[in-house]
Amino acid sequence: MTATAARFVHQISRPDGFPTAGDFAFVEETVPAPAPGQALVENVYLSVDPYMRELMDGGWDLHTPLEGRSIGRVTASRAPGLAEGDLVFHRKGWRTHALVTPDEVRVLPDHRGVPARSYLGILGGTGLTAYVALTRTARLKPGESVFVSAAAGGVGSAAGQFARLLGAGRVVGSAGSPAKVRRLTEEWGFDAAFNYHDGPVGDLLAKAAPDGIDVYLDNVGGDHLEGAIQGLREFGRIAWIGAIAQYHSARPPAAPRNLFDIVEKSLRLEGVLVRNHRDAQRELEDFLVPHLQAGRVVDVQTVVQGFDNVVDAFLGMLGGANSGKMIVEVGAERL
């Protein structure tokens, strides 16, 4: 049955510290009809991601539909190249329906045994971030040791597995609970892992990687960055992806006290923005799809059911409730 109402989530206030459900509102409108050159997409999967927390402070306009990675099915089309039934990737998330043009979407390929929602996770921006951080930013070499912070999250769980496939000699991760630490070593191929609540990160890292590390993928900042600088060997590389430690604070944490060690050890620190590496998408798929199909890589996801729960999923992800990529399922992938 075709839906007659389209639902949207709007941000209605700026958060003070950690966001709350009161910062959002659900809005309902009539499902729009496509104009010439447009297609109507009914969303199937929505992505909620850490970067969205920063957008809440001013990157998103209030009282308007929000931006977000999404996968949906074309239900009506007046656009060349988009046919009814196509599954497409686009960025009009936080809603049940979206009007799109061909230049705003990508029709997804059908890889045997690989679900479409992987294009919001390990085959999408999440996996692409991990891949370019390792191959382009840090330029990981076979045999080198890698440390990944927030390793049980979407980017972190992908990065640890990719590092192993790329020939890393030792892969270490940090996480925020004993259960997540166990999953890192028992399910996702990390050689060692620690709970960062158990002590200073630098000390915990020294136990997990007593010979030091060559590459650090930073999803946290703050004390994790300081600890990684402490553990990095000469000529080590830092690929800085995110800064969970400061997302909910009006005042960022103090800079690492050992920043000058970057000079003394001849380290390199470089930020990673996935939008600068869209050209690597095909390279990622060529590398990863055979491993997914063979079961050598786990597509780590936490899937929340129902559009009504998209805000709860977002807040839960910010609080560490997810393992791997947090995805909201709002429809059926296959009819």
Side-chain angles (χ1 to χ4, degrees):
M1 181 179 296
T2 303
T4 58
R7 302 182 67 204
F8 304 81
V9 177
H10 291 188
Q11 183 184 343
I12 60 173
S13 61
R14 302 294 181 198
D16 180 12
F18 198 93
T20 69
D23 294 319
F24 300 91
F26 286 83
V27 178
E28 188 170 298
E29 300 176 7
T30 301
V31 173
Q38 292 182 322
L40 176 66
V41 172
E42 185 169 357
N43 282 329
V44 176
Y45 300 111
L46 305 175
S47 177
V48 290
D49 299 281
Y51 78 88
M52 294 173 172
R53 172 60 188 87
E54 292 189 287
L55 294 179
M56 292 188 72
D57 291 331
W60 280 337
D61 293 331
L62 298 181
H63 305 288
T64 60
L66 304 179
E67 176 272 346
R69 301 183 183 107
S70 311
I71 290 172
R73 180 180 293 103
V74 175
T75 57
S77 179
R78 300 180 68 186
L82 295 178
E84 291 186 22
D86 282 346
L87 280 175
V88 297
F89 170 91
H90 63 97
R91 300 193 70 91
K92 295 185 177 182
W94 295 81
R95 67 198 81 181
T96 58
H97 297 75
L99 289 174
V100 300
T101 57
D103 63 336
E104 292 176 319
V105 306
R106 178 192 180 201
V107 178
L108 295 179
D110 184 10
H111 294 297
R112 175 186 52 81
V114 179
R117 66 174 184 263
S118 292
Y119 282 91
L120 292 182
I122 205 164
L123 282 173
T126 300
L128 189 60
T129 298
Y131 181 75
V132 300
L134 287 166
T135 61
R136 295 188 174 188
T137 307
R139 299 174 190 172
L140 176 68
K141 302 181 185 72
E144 290 188 322
S145 295
V146 179
F147 171 43
V148 182
S149 59
V155 172
S157 59
Q161 296 182 83
F162 293 177
R164 173 68 61 227
L165 294 172
L166 293 166
R170 187 168 181 80
V171 183
V172 176
S174 69
S177 74
K180 288 182 177 180
V181 168
R182 285 193 299 272
R183 296 194 73 184
L184 291 176
T185 56
E186 294 176 6
E187 299 179 33
W188 304 332
F190 285 73
D191 295 291
F194 59 85
N195 183 342
Y196 61 82
H197 296 297
D198 288 345
V201 172
D203 295 347
L204 297 169
L205 179 60
K207 294 178 182 178
D211 296 326
I213 58 171
D214 302 289
V215 168
Y216 172 46
L217 267 60
D218 190 5
N219 294 295
V220 178
D223 62 341
H224 274 73
L225 179 56
E226 181 173 309
I229 291 171
Q230 177 182 326
L232 277 159
R233 291 194 279 254
E234 201 172 29
F235 303 109
R237 287 89 69 203
I238 302 166
W240 198 349
I241 297 165
I244 295 171
Q246 69 184 59
Y247 282 164
H248 312 302
S249 175
R251 178 179 297 177
R257 294 166 295 180
N258 57 351
L259 271 180
F260 194 73
D261 285 359
I262 292 177
V263 176
E264 293 184 337
K265 294 183 178 182
S266 298
L267 307 179
R268 181 167 58 84
L269 185 156
E270 183 178 339
V272 182
L273 281 177
V274 70
R275 65 171 178 257
N276 296 329
H277 299 278
R278 299 296 182 196
D279 61 308
Q281 178 65 38
R282 180 61 183 271
E283 183 182 329
L284 169 69
E285 292 178 26
D286 290 344
F287 164 74
L288 188 55
V289 167
H291 292 300
L292 284 169
Q293 291 173 327
R296 290 185 292 268
V297 170
V298 181
D299 186 2
V300 187
Q301 299 179 348
T302 298
V303 180
V304 173
Q305 299 292 330
F307 187 77
D308 288 342
N309 294 315
V310 62
V311 171
D312 290 341
F314 174 62
L315 299 177
M317 177 273 303
L318 292 178
N322 59 302
S323 290
K325 180 74 188 71
M326 180 72 92
I327 292 174
V328 182
E329 184 173 347
V330 297
E333 180 173 326
R334 299 188 183 277
L335 296 176

